[in-house]
Amino acid sequence: MSAPLAADYAAERAQLVEEVEATYAQTAALTGLRAMSPQVRAALGKVERHRFVPDSQRALAYRNHPLPIGAGQTISQPYIVALSTDLVAPRPGHRVLEVGTGSGYQAAMLAEIVGQVYTIELIADLGNAAAERLRALGYRNVEVRIGDGYAGWPEKAPFDGIVVTAAPPQVPQALVEQLKPGGRMVVPVGSSGAAQELLVITKRADGTTETRSVLPVRFVPLVPGK
Ligand code: SAH
C-alpha cells in the first residue's frame, strides 16, 4: 500500500497540541503553568514526532504517551517534553544541555527555541541514530555526544539551561556546577522503582541554588556510566 497523502500528520499534531494544553490546565495547580508558552506551543506544533519513533510506532506518534524507541528506552510523553521545555525557560540566545538524547525529540523541541543545544547519550546506537535524524531534518544547532551524562559536558559549559530526561537517584553535582548563574535545570530525581519528582533547580547570582518540586513523574533511570 502507498502512504496516505496526509502522511505529514499535520492534523494529528494539531490535535496533540490541544491535548497537551488540556493537560497543562489539569496540572496547573502543581506546575504553576496554566498554558504552554507561545514558543513551546509553536515547537510542539512543528516538530514531527512521527520521525523520531520506530516505524512500528508511527501510528501512535501523536498520542500523548511515551513510546518505546529500542534498547529498552522510551521517547517521553509529549506533555512532559513540553513542560520540561517550559520549565527551563528557554530564550533564543540560550545554550542548553540535554542529558539523555534518546530519539532526539526533546533536543529538536529545544533547538526550535534556543540558539544551541548540546545533548549527551550513553547508548551509542541511539545517540548516533538521533544525530543522523537531526541532521537529516535540518537541525544545525544540535551537537550530539556519546558519553556519560552524569559528568555533563564541561568543555561546553556553562549552560543557560539543562534538561535531564532520565532519572538519577540524586541531583548530579557536576550538572549543577555547569549551570550559569540565573540558569535553570529540570531533572527528574528518584530511584527507578520508587517515586520520582520533577525538580526545577535555579542557580542564583551568588552560586547558591533554589529547588522546587513540580510534580511526580516516571522516567527511565539515568544509568551510571562506565
Ligand atoms: N529525551 C529523549 C528520551 C530519553 S529516554 C527523547 O526525546 O527521545 C532517556 C535516555 O537517557 C535514554 O536514551 C538512555 O539511554 C539515556 N541515558 C541513560 N543513562 C544515561 C547517562 N548516564 N548518560 C547519558 N544518557 C543516558
Side-chain angles (χ1 to χ4, degrees):
M1 252 179 71
S2 60
L5 284 173
D8 63 349
Y9 296 93
E12 288 85 348
R13 206 157 40 247
Q15 172 65 35
L16 174 64
V17 169
E18 297 319 318
E19 266 181 58
V20 171
E21 283 291 20
T23 312
Y24 264 61
Q26 285 158 12
T27 55
L30 288 172
T31 65
L33 300 176
R34 307 199 57 78
M36 279 184 273
S37 63
Q39 59 271 40
V40 169
R41 189 180 158 99
L44 188 66
K46 183 172 174 197
V47 180
E48 300 188 315
R49 192 170 187 254
H50 67 276
R51 298 190 188 273
F52 291 84
V53 301
D55 287 350
S56 60
Q57 303 295 325
R58 274 206 165 185
L60 305 174
Y62 293 101
R63 303 266 177 95
N64 192 17
H65 290 304
L67 291 170
I69 55 170
Q73 304 303 319
T74 53
I75 181 173
S76 304
Q77 181 192 14
Y79 160 68
I80 289 292
V81 176
L83 182 68
S84 300
T85 308
D86 263 326
L87 291 171
V88 81
R91 298 289 175 264
H94 280 181
R95 301 164 68 253
V96 174
L97 174 70
E98 181 200 17
V99 174
T101 314
S103 68
Y105 180 73
Q106 170 77 76
M109 286 284 293
L110 288 164
E112 291 286 343
I113 301 169
V114 305
Q116 182 67 42
V117 178
Y118 300 96
T119 179
I120 307 176
E121 172 56 53
L122 189 64
I123 300 176
D125 284 354
L126 285 177
N128 291 332
E132 172 57 28
R133 176 178 297 126
L134 289 161
R135 195 201 58 75
L137 290 171
Y139 289 99
R140 310 236 179 280
N141 59 340
V142 183
E143 243 184 88
V144 181
R145 164 167 157 175
I146 308 303
D148 177 15
Y150 275 100
W153 195 331
E155 299 83 358
K156 305 291 186 186
F159 303 101
D160 298 287
I162 301 179
V163 178
V164 184
T165 68
Q170 281 109 29
V171 178
Q173 198 50 39
L175 299 182
V176 175
E177 282 161 17
Q178 290 172 30
L179 206 52
K180 273 187 201 172
R184 294 190 192 193
M185 168 157 54
V186 179
V187 54
V189 171
S191 48
S192 49
Q196 302 166 1
E197 42 187 359
L198 193 64
L199 304 182
V200 179
I201 298 169
T202 307
K203 193 181 251 189
R204 299 190 192 95
D206 67 1
T208 60
T209 57
E210 181 186 309
T211 300
R212 173 165 79 103
S213 176
V214 177
L215 82 171
V217 287
R218 180 117 66 106
F219 278 80
V220 296
L222 191 68
V223 175
K226 285 139 240 154

